[in-house]
Amino acid sequence: KYISEQPGQFAIRTINRIRTFWAFDTFTGAWWYGKNKLVGIALLGLDAGCYLLLLIGVVLFWKPVSEWGNLQWMSFLIILFHGIPYYLAFSHPTYHLAVMPLFFFLGEWNKKPSMNLTKWAILFLLIGIQLEWIYHMSSSL
């Protein structure tokens, strides 16, 4: 009923949940922040840095879709469909951890990294999500 009465609000909330799903995880750093602020901030920074390096690596080595085989398509579909319940109901970065290993199968790790306009756009979007996440988290510290 809510979705049919407020479709615009539902769309905005869904987009927010998608962004949250793909932000770096904060669970461990936030827990430690409650015990020791310096350790918590260091862990948040370490988690953000490692996650960003992983995302950059995936984008740099992403195999062209035209060359994907069954393994790449299955990995992509699992990544895509795993997130749908979180996009629609609730979200936290912890929930993306289950699909992170599947990104390995989408890359050409034995080749020279490459960038094109699409990859730059994806990278810009992913980095923007992380920066927005940091901005929103900093207001609650």
Side-chain angles (χ1 to χ4, degrees), residues 41-109:
I41 290 174
L43 286 172
L44 286 168
L46 181 64
D47 200 339
C50 289
Y51 184 63
L52 194 55
L53 285 174
L54 175 69
L55 292 177
I56 290 170
V58 169
V59 171
L60 282 173
F61 290 96
W62 192 278
K63 187 175 186 175
V65 176
S66 61
E67 298 175 18
W68 280 8
N70 290 337
L71 183 61
Q72 287 81 27
W73 280 110
M74 288 302 296
S75 297
F76 178 76
L77 291 173
I78 290 169
I79 291 167
L80 178 69
F81 287 114
H82 171 78
I84 289 174
Y86 304 108
Y87 302 159
L88 299 176
F90 56 90
S91 191
H92 189 271
T94 303
Y95 302 126
H96 72 235
L97 295 177
V99 295
M100 294 309 295
L102 295 175
F103 279 109
F104 174 78
F105 299 111
L106 300 178
E108 293 181 298
W109 303 101

Side-chain angles (χ1 to χ4, degrees), residues 14-36:
T14 300
I15 291 167
N16 290 340
R17 287 188 288 268
I18 291 169
R19 290 194 330 259
T20 299
F21 184 86
W22 290 109
F24 67 90
D25 190 25
T26 58
F27 185 78
T28 304
W31 185 87
W32 272 101
Y33 186 82
K35 306 285 182 199
N36 182 314

